[in-house]
Amino acid sequence: MRPLSLTLLALVAPTAAGADLPRSAPEAQGVSSPAVLAFVEAADKDIDALHSFMLVRHGRVVAEGWWAPYTAGAPHMLFSLSKSFTSTAVGLAAAEGKLSVDDPVLQFFPNDAPADPSAHLKAMRLSDLLRMSTGQQAEPARKPTEPWAKTFLAQQVPFKPGTHFLYNTSATYMLSAAVQKATGQTTLDYLKPRLFEPLGIANPTWELSPQGISTGGYGLSVRTEDIAKFGQLYLQKGKWNGKQLVPEAWVSAATARQTSNGSNPKSDWDQGYGYQFWRCRHGAYRGDGAFGQYCIVLPEQDAVVAITAGVRDMQAVLNLVWDKLLPALKDAPLAADEGAAQKLAGALKALSVRRPEGKGPGPKVTGKKYMFPANDGKLAALTLERGAGDEVTLVAQVAGAERRIECASTGWKSGRVAWGRQPEQPAAAAGAWTADDTFTAKVCFTETPFVLTLRLKFTGAEVRVEPEWNVGFGPTKEPALVGKQ
């Protein structure tokens, strides 16, 4: 029989191949298991929903968990957390002498420049892109029909570069494009041997612009542990396994306050901005992305927090880190508390995104086909099929193709799903009759922040379908559709 301490570590051991951060019991690294449990329980109760969480202390993972159906081995879209990786590429290219942060932006894009560049555009440097101080008043568009660099350079620059903070994803794209111009490789390919491979980050993917350039400000997908490794590399001032991967001077500059962006002492978006890193309260800094993707580095506590999520209120997640996790980090090792550690490990292992709760067997509508008039969602027909036990499969005809959503009655059913804005991709679904006349399906697109809830209300010979997304850059509720037998 294994000792209890080894059993506890096994409960939180990684399941992803190639994961190489060492593991430790929380108390051995000065972390209180009850305090971490309080964070996990509060996140599970009050935030809908975290997808994963990893806490690294003194270089060792002391707590990690994935809310089912999200898993350790699956990559997750980072959105703007990608920006911090693009910043790293710029730092590496500068260290290799391929570019300088003082280089004028126009130097890299002579064919995309306007015929008569303004004085402010001529003065714009890579460093202004890095600190989101391009001098532009509005973020340039990124249209599929126009070269993104040309659109960026055509935008008016009313302010002197370096004097006006504007969060600007197109500026990060220009950094990625500059890296590609200077190195002859996409930012992804450039980083593979210099960052991803040394850190053991396998199979990173990065979206491309229509011009074949890594999008820079978003589009990178990696695993939760990869986020933690990236944060640990920065915590270690660019050193990994005894080798200086990123110059220490770059780490210091990129994570320092390079520009002011507000004065609210309660906001983690008003603490200053570095080179594609945000400054935080409590002496911390972070990379972050839309809907709750975080790489939080706490130098004073020698800790890293990696989180993926699908949330609307990003500040609420950071507040929870400061309120629950920060006090858990003590200056010295704590006495072993295997009971508390076991309780924490059990809670981490049992995490799950909230599933629809069943209220009854539902009406007898399985096998009946409902037809829909023409609609923007291109849903033509819908049928419910019963599977084993209480499992239900939604069979939809969408844009001329059959789409099947198999909904587990307990747990989650993994497969591939396409719906609306989301193309076919890995997903997991659960469903239940949440009222006498309503079947609710919840579909997690497990490599993204996005979760789709479909409410199907049956009345006589009609069904009313109400799709709603958990988060989005626009409206999250889609128009209801009514189908008839």
Side-chain angles (χ1 to χ4, degrees):
M1 182 175 180
R2 292 192 299 178
L4 180 57
S5 58
L6 293 180
T7 302
L8 296 179
L9 290 178
L11 284 174
V12 295
T15 58
D20 59 3
L21 285 174
R23 267 60 182 173
S24 172
E27 278 70 21
Q29 306 304 323
V31 180
S32 163
S33 289
V36 177
L37 178 61
F39 166 83
V40 172
E41 290 178 339
D44 198 40
K45 175 177 178 290
D46 300 329
I47 295 177
D48 189 15
L50 295 193
H51 297 166
S52 70
F53 150 73
M54 184 175 285
L55 174 61
V56 184
R57 186 82 196 283
H58 304 323
R60 291 167 171 79
V61 178
V62 297
E64 56 189 313
W66 285 261
W67 278 254
Y70 300 89
T71 63
H76 199 282
M77 293 173 69
L78 301 189
F79 282 97
S80 287
L81 176 49
S82 308
K83 291 178 169 70
S84 301
F85 289 82
T86 300
S87 168
T88 305
V90 174
L92 291 170
E96 293 176 359
K98 298 182 183 298
L99 54 75
S100 165
V101 298
D102 295 324
D103 287 340
V105 175
L106 285 174
Q107 171 183 318
F108 297 90
F109 309 100
N111 296 330
D112 293 310
D116 186 19
S118 68
H120 283 169
L121 180 57
K122 290 179 181 177
M124 190 190 300
R125 298 173 294 159
L126 293 186
S127 61
D128 299 316
L129 304 179
L130 283 163
R131 57 180 174 241
M132 299 293 192
S133 297
T134 62
Q136 295 166 327
Q137 192 166 18
E139 179 178 341
R142 298 178 299 279
K143 299 178 181 179
T145 56
E146 300 174 6
W148 291 4
K150 189 171 185 176
T151 303
F152 181 92
L153 296 172
Q155 187 90 347
Q156 290 187 348
V157 188
F159 305 104
K160 182 178 180 180
T163 64
H164 178 75
F165 177 83
L166 172 72
Y167 192 73
N168 190 334
T169 294
S170 292
T172 315
Y173 171 75
M174 295 297 283
L175 290 170
S176 179
V179 168
Q180 186 160 330
K181 291 275 190 177
T183 67
Q185 295 178 286
T186 65
T187 298
L188 174 63
D189 288 340
Y190 180 70
L191 284 178
K192 279 181 179 177
R194 294 165 176 84
L195 181 74
F196 295 128
E197 291 172 6
L199 293 184
I201 296 176
N203 304 315
T205 60
W206 210 319
E207 295 176 35
L208 297 175
S209 73
Q211 292 74 49
I213 296 167
S214 297
T215 48
Y218 62 94
L220 179 62
S221 291
V222 297
R223 302 170 305 135
T224 307
E225 180 150 0
D226 301 330
I227 299 171
K229 291 176 181 179
F230 181 68
Q232 187 65 29
L233 172 70
Y234 267 76
L235 182 61
Q236 294 169 181
K237 301 186 183 301
K239 187 173 286 189
W240 192 262
N241 290 337
K243 183 179 179 181
Q244 196 73 40
L245 296 185
V246 180
E248 182 175 344
W250 181 263
V251 172
S252 297
T255 61
R257 182 187 176 108
Q258 293 287 347
T259 189
S260 175
N261 61 352
S263 60
N264 182 353
K266 296 182 180 180
S267 170
D268 283 293
W269 278 264
D270 277 23
Q271 306 306 308
Y273 195 77
Y275 286 166
Q276 309 285 295
F277 286 86
W278 296 90
R279 293 294 307 176
C280 306
R281 293 176 288 167
H282 307 290
Y285 61 86
R286 73 187 188 279
D288 75 26
F291 315 125
Q293 325 315 315
Y294 297 96
C295 178
I296 306 167
V297 181
L298 299 94
E300 295 174 15
Q301 291 77 23
D302 193 28
V304 174
V305 180
I307 291 172
T308 62
V311 301
R312 300 186 185 191
D313 186 350
M314 291 181 64
Q315 183 65 67
V317 178
L318 290 172
N319 290 344
L320 202 60
V321 171
W322 309 139
D323 294 345
K324 302 292 186 183
L325 281 186
L326 191 61
L329 308 176
K330 307 302 182 183
D331 294 335
L334 304 175
D337 188 343
E338 294 192 343
Q342 186 174 33
K343 188 175 180 181
L344 170 61
L348 289 167
K349 190 176 182 181
L351 292 170
S352 176
V353 173
R354 294 185 192 120
R355 302 173 62 262
E357 294 185 11
K359 303 295 185 183
K364 295 180 179 180
V365 295
T366 54
K368 297 179 180 179
K369 190 172 187 177
Y370 297 85
M371 306 298 295
F372 294 80
N375 56 80
D376 291 342
K378 299 182 180 179
L379 174 63
L382 181 68
T383 304
L384 267 61
E385 294 180 354
R386 278 207 183 272
D390 293 329
E391 290 189 4
V392 171
T393 297
L394 278 58
V395 183
Q397 292 291 331
V398 181
E402 182 179 277
R403 304 292 188 186
R404 300 179 66 86
I405 302 176
E406 298 182 30
C407 301
S409 57
T410 59
W412 296 87
K413 181 75 171 182
S414 296
R416 294 182 65 84
V417 173
W419 187 279
R421 67 188 74 171
Q422 294 299 319
E424 185 176 295
Q425 60 188 285
W433 289 98
T434 51
D436 289 342
D437 59 357
T438 302
F439 183 83
T440 301
K442 197 166 190 176
V443 185
C444 297
F445 293 87
T446 50
E447 296 182 0
T448 82
F450 301 114
V451 177
L452 171 67
T453 298
L454 292 170
R455 296 180 183 87
L456 281 59
K457 185 172 182 178
F458 295 86
T459 305
E462 292 186 350
V463 61
R464 179 182 174 87
V465 180
E466 298 177 348
E468 183 175 3
W469 297 89
N470 59 332
V471 293
F473 293 107
T476 53
K477 287 188 177 181
E478 296 181 3
L481 304 173
V482 177
K484 298 182 179 181
Q485 292 180 26

mmCIF file of all heavy atoms in Angstrom, residues 254-286:
data_model
loop_
_atom_site.group_PDB
_atom_site.id
_atom_site.type_symbol
_atom_site.label_atom_id
_atom_site.label_comp_id
_atom_site.label_asym_id
_atom_site.label_seq_id
_atom_site.Cartn_x
_atom_site.Cartn_y
_atom_site.Cartn_z
ATOM 1 N N ALA A 254 10.225 44.110 -19.967
ATOM 2 C CA ALA A 254 8.897 43.736 -20.443
ATOM 3 C C ALA A 254 7.866 43.730 -19.322
ATOM 4 O O ALA A 254 6.680 44.019 -19.556
ATOM 5 C CB ALA A 254 8.947 42.357 -21.100
ATOM 6 N N THR A 255 8.287 43.423 -18.112
ATOM 7 C CA THR A 255 7.346 43.291 -16.997
ATOM 8 C C THR A 255 7.329 44.516 -16.099
ATOM 9 O O THR A 255 6.586 44.548 -15.116
ATOM 10 C CB THR A 255 7.693 42.044 -16.165
ATOM 11 O OG1 THR A 255 9.018 42.177 -15.637
ATOM 12 C CG2 THR A 255 7.624 40.788 -17.017
ATOM 13 N N ALA A 256 8.148 45.535 -16.422
ATOM 14 C CA ALA A 256 8.155 46.776 -15.659
ATOM 15 C C ALA A 256 7.029 47.686 -16.133
ATOM 16 O O ALA A 256 6.420 47.468 -17.183
ATOM 17 C CB ALA A 256 9.503 47.483 -15.812
ATOM 18 N N ARG A 257 6.747 48.721 -15.376
ATOM 19 C CA ARG A 257 5.740 49.718 -15.761
ATOM 20 C C ARG A 257 6.351 50.635 -16.819
ATOM 21 O O ARG A 257 7.139 51.525 -16.521
ATOM 22 C CB ARG A 257 5.321 50.514 -14.528
ATOM 23 C CG ARG A 257 4.241 51.555 -14.776
ATOM 24 C CD ARG A 257 4.059 52.381 -13.508
ATOM 25 N NE ARG A 257 3.121 53.460 -13.697
ATOM 26 C CZ ARG A 257 1.895 53.519 -13.182
ATOM 27 N NH1 ARG A 257 1.466 52.504 -12.442
ATOM 28 N NH2 ARG A 257 1.099 54.548 -13.384
ATOM 29 N N GLN A 258 5.983 50.394 -18.068
ATOM 30 C CA GLN A 258 6.506 51.184 -19.185
ATOM 31 C C GLN A 258 5.628 52.393 -19.505
ATOM 32 O O GLN A 258 6.100 53.361 -20.088
ATOM 33 C CB GLN A 258 6.636 50.308 -20.433
ATOM 34 C CG GLN A 258 7.674 49.213 -20.334
ATOM 35 C CD GLN A 258 9.092 49.752 -20.396
ATOM 36 O OE1 GLN A 258 9.323 50.912 -20.742
ATOM 37 N NE2 GLN A 258 10.056 48.917 -20.040
ATOM 38 N N THR A 259 4.372 52.306 -19.128
ATOM 39 C CA THR A 259 3.461 53.424 -19.370
ATOM 40 C C THR A 259 2.327 53.374 -18.366
ATOM 41 O O THR A 259 1.977 52.310 -17.844
ATOM 42 C CB THR A 259 2.900 53.363 -20.809
ATOM 43 O OG1 THR A 259 2.181 54.563 -21.096
ATOM 44 C CG2 THR A 259 1.971 52.182 -21.006
ATOM 45 N N SER A 260 1.762 54.535 -18.087
ATOM 46 C CA SER A 260 0.619 54.626 -17.180
ATOM 47 C C SER A 260 -0.660 54.366 -17.962
ATOM 48 O O SER A 260 -0.789 54.775 -19.114
ATOM 49 C CB SER A 260 0.563 56.007 -16.532
ATOM 50 O OG SER A 260 -0.600 56.146 -15.735
ATOM 51 N N ASN A 261 -1.590 53.692 -17.324
ATOM 52 C CA ASN A 261 -2.862 53.412 -18.004
ATOM 53 C C ASN A 261 -4.069 53.604 -17.097
ATOM 54 O O ASN A 261 -5.133 53.054 -17.356
ATOM 55 C CB ASN A 261 -2.854 52.001 -18.592
ATOM 56 C CG ASN A 261 -2.688 50.924 -17.539
ATOM 57 O OD1 ASN A 261 -2.434 51.225 -16.371
ATOM 58 N ND2 ASN A 261 -2.823 49.679 -17.924
ATOM 59 N N GLY A 262 -3.923 54.363 -16.029
ATOM 60 C CA GLY A 262 -5.051 54.612 -15.139
ATOM 61 C C GLY A 262 -4.600 54.848 -13.714
ATOM 62 O O GLY A 262 -3.400 54.807 -13.403
ATOM 63 N N SER A 263 -5.575 55.091 -12.828
ATOM 64 C CA SER A 263 -5.225 55.412 -11.440
ATOM 65 C C SER A 263 -6.133 54.765 -10.409
ATOM 66 O O SER A 263 -6.021 55.057 -9.227
ATOM 67 C CB SER A 263 -5.266 56.939 -11.247
ATOM 68 O OG SER A 263 -6.575 57.446 -11.525
ATOM 69 N N ASN A 264 -7.030 53.871 -10.841
ATOM 70 C CA ASN A 264 -7.929 53.225 -9.894
ATOM 71 C C ASN A 264 -7.155 52.179 -9.090
ATOM 72 O O ASN A 264 -6.711 51.174 -9.649
ATOM 73 C CB ASN A 264 -9.081 52.564 -10.650
ATOM 74 C CG ASN A 264 -10.101 51.911 -9.727
ATOM 75 O OD1 ASN A 264 -9.904 51.826 -8.522
ATOM 76 N ND2 ASN A 264 -11.191 51.439 -10.305
ATOM 77 N N PRO A 265 -7.010 52.380 -7.782
ATOM 78 C CA PRO A 265 -6.207 51.436 -6.990
ATOM 79 C C PRO A 265 -6.846 50.062 -6.846
ATOM 80 O O PRO A 265 -6.178 49.106 -6.458
ATOM 81 C CB PRO A 265 -6.089 52.130 -5.630
ATOM 82 C CG PRO A 265 -7.300 53.015 -5.546
ATOM 83 C CD PRO A 265 -7.563 53.476 -6.944
ATOM 84 N N LYS A 266 -8.117 49.933 -7.185
ATOM 85 C CA LYS A 266 -8.807 48.658 -7.048
ATOM 86 C C LYS A 266 -8.872 47.868 -8.352
ATOM 87 O O LYS A 266 -9.403 46.762 -8.369
ATOM 88 C CB LYS A 266 -10.230 48.887 -6.513
ATOM 89 C CG LYS A 266 -10.267 49.477 -5.110
ATOM 90 C CD LYS A 266 -11.697 49.640 -4.619
ATOM 91 C CE LYS A 266 -11.732 50.225 -3.206
ATOM 92 N NZ LYS A 266 -13.128 50.387 -2.715
ATOM 93 N N SER A 267 -8.341 48.446 -9.419
ATOM 94 C CA SER A 267 -8.417 47.791 -10.727
ATOM 95 C C SER A 267 -7.051 47.263 -11.137
ATOM 96 O O SER A 267 -6.059 47.994 -11.113
ATOM 97 C CB SER A 267 -8.921 48.771 -11.788
ATOM 98 O OG SER A 267 -8.788 48.207 -13.086
ATOM 99 N N ASP A 268 -7.023 46.006 -11.554
ATOM 100 C CA ASP A 268 -5.781 45.426 -12.059
ATOM 101 C C ASP A 268 -5.526 45.803 -13.512
ATOM 102 O O ASP A 268 -4.558 45.332 -14.108
ATOM 103 C CB ASP A 268 -5.813 43.902 -11.891
ATOM 104 C CG ASP A 268 -5.557 43.491 -10.449
ATOM 105 O OD1 ASP A 268 -4.436 43.702 -9.976
ATOM 106 O OD2 ASP A 268 -6.488 42.994 -9.802
ATOM 107 N N TRP A 269 -6.365 46.652 -14.071
ATOM 108 C CA TRP A 269 -6.137 47.188 -15.406
ATOM 109 C C TRP A 269 -5.672 48.653 -15.351
ATOM 110 O O TRP A 269 -5.561 49.297 -16.374
ATOM 111 C CB TRP A 269 -7.401 47.054 -16.258
ATOM 112 C CG TRP A 269 -7.528 45.689 -16.836
ATOM 113 C CD1 TRP A 269 -7.144 45.283 -18.081
ATOM 114 C CD2 TRP A 269 -8.028 44.513 -16.186
ATOM 115 N NE1 TRP A 269 -7.373 43.933 -18.245
ATOM 116 C CE2 TRP A 269 -7.921 43.437 -17.111
ATOM 117 C CE3 TRP A 269 -8.561 44.249 -14.918
ATOM 118 C CZ2 TRP A 269 -8.328 42.134 -16.797
ATOM 119 C CZ3 TRP A 269 -8.961 42.958 -14.611
ATOM 120 C CH2 TRP A 269 -8.842 41.924 -15.540
ATOM 121 N N ASP A 270 -5.386 49.142 -14.138
ATOM 122 C CA ASP A 270 -4.945 50.535 -13.960
ATOM 123 C C ASP A 270 -3.590 50.623 -13.261
ATOM 124 O O ASP A 270 -3.247 51.678 -12.723
ATOM 125 C CB ASP A 270 -5.978 51.314 -13.130
ATOM 126 C CG ASP A 270 -7.134 51.832 -13.973
ATOM 127 O OD1 ASP A 270 -7.384 51.263 -15.050
ATOM 128 O OD2 ASP A 270 -7.785 52.808 -13.555
ATOM 129 N N GLN A 271 -2.831 49.545 -13.273
ATOM 130 C CA GLN A 271 -1.576 49.524 -12.515
ATOM 131 C C GLN A 271 -0.348 49.737 -13.385
ATOM 132 O O GLN A 271 0.777 49.604 -12.914
ATOM 133 C CB GLN A 271 -1.452 48.189 -11.763
ATOM 134 C CG GLN A 271 -2.638 47.857 -10.876
ATOM 135 C CD GLN A 271 -2.957 48.966 -9.890
ATOM 136 O OE1 GLN A 271 -2.073 49.426 -9.169
ATOM 137 N NE2 GLN A 271 -4.209 49.406 -9.861
ATOM 138 N N GLY A 272 -0.558 50.083 -14.646
ATOM 139 C CA GLY A 272 0.557 50.284 -15.556
ATOM 140 C C GLY A 272 0.685 49.131 -16.532
ATOM 141 O O GLY A 272 0.163 48.031 -16.309
ATOM 142 N N TYR A 273 1.395 49.396 -17.624
ATOM 143 C CA TYR A 273 1.551 48.409 -18.691
ATOM 144 C C TYR A 273 3.008 48.345 -19.095
ATOM 145 O O TYR A 273 3.700 49.364 -19.143
ATOM 146 C CB TYR A 273 0.683 48.807 -19.889
ATOM 147 C CG TYR A 273 0.465 47.707 -20.906
ATOM 148 C CD1 TYR A 273 -0.430 46.677 -20.653
ATOM 149 C CD2 TYR A 273 1.157 47.701 -22.113
ATOM 150 C CE1 TYR A 273 -0.647 45.662 -21.575
ATOM 151 C CE2 TYR A 273 0.947 46.693 -23.055
ATOM 152 C CZ TYR A 273 0.042 45.676 -22.775
ATOM 153 O OH TYR A 273 -0.175 44.672 -23.688
ATOM 154 N N GLY A 274 3.492 47.124 -19.360
ATOM 155 C CA GLY A 274 4.874 46.929 -19.757
ATOM 156 C C GLY A 274 4.992 46.720 -21.253
ATOM 157 O O GLY A 274 4.368 47.432 -22.046
ATOM 158 N N TYR A 275 5.769 45.739 -21.643
ATOM 159 C CA TYR A 275 5.870 45.348 -23.038
ATOM 160 C C TYR A 275 4.959 44.148 -23.266
ATOM 161 O O TYR A 275 5.380 42.990 -23.212
ATOM 162 C CB TYR A 275 7.306 44.975 -23.405
ATOM 163 C CG TYR A 275 8.273 46.125 -23.536
ATOM 164 C CD1 TYR A 275 9.641 45.897 -23.567
ATOM 165 C CD2 TYR A 275 7.834 47.448 -23.646
ATOM 166 C CE1 TYR A 275 10.550 46.935 -23.701
ATOM 167 C CE2 TYR A 275 8.730 48.497 -23.773
ATOM 168 C CZ TYR A 275 10.084 48.235 -23.803
ATOM 169 O OH TYR A 275 10.978 49.263 -23.932
ATOM 170 N N GLN A 276 3.662 44.415 -23.426
ATOM 171 C CA GLN A 276 2.662 43.370 -23.648
ATOM 172 C C GLN A 276 2.421 42.519 -22.394
ATOM 173 O O GLN A 276 1.961 41.386 -22.475
ATOM 174 C CB GLN A 276 3.038 42.468 -24.833
ATOM 175 C CG GLN A 276 3.389 43.238 -26.104
ATOM 176 C CD GLN A 276 2.193 43.817 -26.826
ATOM 177 O OE1 GLN A 276 1.343 43.086 -27.325
ATOM 178 N NE2 GLN A 276 2.124 45.149 -26.890
ATOM 179 N N PHE A 277 2.744 43.068 -21.251
ATOM 180 C CA PHE A 277 2.394 42.508 -19.945
ATOM 181 C C PHE A 277 1.682 43.586 -19.144
ATOM 182 O O PHE A 277 2.029 44.768 -19.234
ATOM 183 C CB PHE A 277 3.639 42.065 -19.162
ATOM 184 C CG PHE A 277 4.277 40.804 -19.644
ATOM 185 C CD1 PHE A 277 5.210 40.828 -20.675
ATOM 186 C CD2 PHE A 277 3.976 39.572 -19.058
ATOM 187 C CE1 PHE A 277 5.826 39.670 -21.126
ATOM 188 C CE2 PHE A 277 4.584 38.406 -19.504
ATOM 189 C CZ PHE A 277 5.513 38.441 -20.532
ATOM 190 N N TRP A 278 0.702 43.178 -18.347
ATOM 191 C CA TRP A 278 0.009 44.092 -17.439
ATOM 192 C C TRP A 278 0.685 44.062 -16.071
ATOM 193 O O TRP A 278 1.028 42.988 -15.564
ATOM 194 C CB TRP A 278 -1.446 43.657 -17.245
ATOM 195 C CG TRP A 278 -2.309 43.703 -18.454
ATOM 196 C CD1 TRP A 278 -2.513 42.699 -19.355
ATOM 197 C CD2 TRP A 278 -3.119 44.796 -18.890
ATOM 198 N NE1 TRP A 278 -3.390 43.097 -20.325
ATOM 199 C CE2 TRP A 278 -3.785 44.384 -20.078
ATOM 200 C CE3 TRP A 278 -3.351 46.092 -18.400
ATOM 201 C CZ2 TRP A 278 -4.665 45.212 -20.763
ATOM 202 C CZ3 TRP A 278 -4.228 46.908 -19.098
ATOM 203 C CH2 TRP A 278 -4.867 46.475 -20.261
ATOM 204 N N ARG A 279 0.834 45.216 -15.473
ATOM 205 C CA ARG A 279 1.187 45.260 -14.061
ATOM 206 C C ARG A 279 -0.075 44.997 -13.234
ATOM 207 O O ARG A 279 -1.190 45.328 -13.646
ATOM 208 C CB ARG A 279 1.759 46.638 -13.696
ATOM 209 C CG ARG A 279 3.109 46.957 -14.332
ATOM 210 C CD ARG A 279 4.204 46.067 -13.847
ATOM 211 N NE ARG A 279 4.297 46.035 -12.387
ATOM 212 C CZ ARG A 279 5.128 45.268 -11.699
ATOM 213 N NH1 ARG A 279 5.936 44.421 -12.344
ATOM 214 N NH2 ARG A 279 5.169 45.298 -10.388
ATOM 215 N N CYS A 280 0.102 44.367 -12.073
ATOM 216 C CA CYS A 280 -1.018 44.054 -11.182
ATOM 217 C C CYS A 280 -0.800 44.704 -9.821
ATOM 218 O O CYS A 280 0.282 45.180 -9.488
ATOM 219 C CB CYS A 280 -1.144 42.547 -10.952
ATOM 220 S SG CYS A 280 -1.264 41.528 -12.399
ATOM 221 N N ARG A 281 -1.827 44.629 -9.017
ATOM 222 C CA ARG A 281 -1.662 44.946 -7.598
ATOM 223 C C ARG A 281 -0.741 43.908 -6.943
ATOM 224 O O ARG A 281 -0.434 42.875 -7.532
ATOM 225 C CB ARG A 281 -3.031 44.951 -6.921
ATOM 226 C CG ARG A 281 -3.939 46.091 -7.397
ATOM 227 C CD ARG A 281 -5.313 45.997 -6.777
ATOM 228 N NE ARG A 281 -6.085 44.885 -7.330
ATOM 229 C CZ ARG A 281 -7.211 44.439 -6.787
ATOM 230 N NH1 ARG A 281 -7.684 44.985 -5.681
ATOM 231 N NH2 ARG A 281 -7.859 43.437 -7.340
ATOM 232 N N HIS A 282 -0.298 44.203 -5.737
ATOM 233 C CA HIS A 282 0.507 43.276 -4.930
ATOM 234 C C HIS A 282 1.861 42.969 -5.564
ATOM 235 O O HIS A 282 2.432 41.899 -5.323
ATOM 236 C CB HIS A 282 -0.276 41.980 -4.659
ATOM 237 C CG HIS A 282 -1.631 42.213 -4.067
ATOM 238 N ND1 HIS A 282 -1.816 42.669 -2.777
ATOM 239 C CD2 HIS A 282 -2.870 42.085 -4.614
ATOM 240 C CE1 HIS A 282 -3.121 42.799 -2.540
ATOM 241 N NE2 HIS A 282 -3.780 42.451 -3.639
ATOM 242 N N GLY A 283 2.355 43.899 -6.384
ATOM 243 C CA GLY A 283 3.682 43.708 -6.960
ATOM 244 C C GLY A 283 3.752 42.632 -8.017
ATOM 245 O O GLY A 283 4.843 42.207 -8.404
ATOM 246 N N ALA A 284 2.619 42.175 -8.515
ATOM 247 C CA ALA A 284 2.583 41.089 -9.501
ATOM 248 C C ALA A 284 2.487 41.665 -10.911
ATOM 249 O O ALA A 284 2.298 42.869 -11.120
ATOM 250 C CB ALA A 284 1.394 40.174 -9.225
ATOM 251 N N TYR A 285 2.624 40.793 -11.884
ATOM 252 C CA TYR A 285 2.361 41.153 -13.278
ATOM 253 C C TYR A 285 1.740 39.953 -13.965
ATOM 254 O O TYR A 285 1.759 38.837 -13.431
ATOM 255 C CB TYR A 285 3.630 41.619 -13.995
ATOM 256 C CG TYR A 285 4.753 40.613 -14.083
ATOM 257 C CD1 TYR A 285 4.808 39.668 -15.111
ATOM 258 C CD2 TYR A 285 5.787 40.616 -13.143
ATOM 259 C CE1 TYR A 285 5.838 38.758 -15.201
ATOM 260 C CE2 TYR A 285 6.829 39.696 -13.216
ATOM 261 C CZ TYR A 285 6.852 38.773 -14.247
ATOM 262 O OH TYR A 285 7.875 37.860 -14.328
ATOM 263 N N ARG A 286 1.204 40.182 -15.148
ATOM 264 C CA ARG A 286 0.491 39.084 -15.806
ATOM 265 C C ARG A 286 0.411 39.308 -17.311
ATOM 266 O O ARG A 286 0.473 40.445 -17.802
ATOM 267 C CB ARG A 286 -0.938 38.942 -15.260
ATOM 268 C CG ARG A 286 -1.868 40.040 -15.731
ATOM 269 C CD ARG A 286 -3.230 39.998 -15.046
ATOM 270 N NE ARG A 286 -4.169 40.950 -15.641
ATOM 271 C CZ ARG A 286 -4.204 42.242 -15.371
ATOM 272 N NH1 ARG A 286 -3.357 42.774 -14.502
ATOM 273 N NH2 ARG A 286 -5.096 43.030 -15.969
#
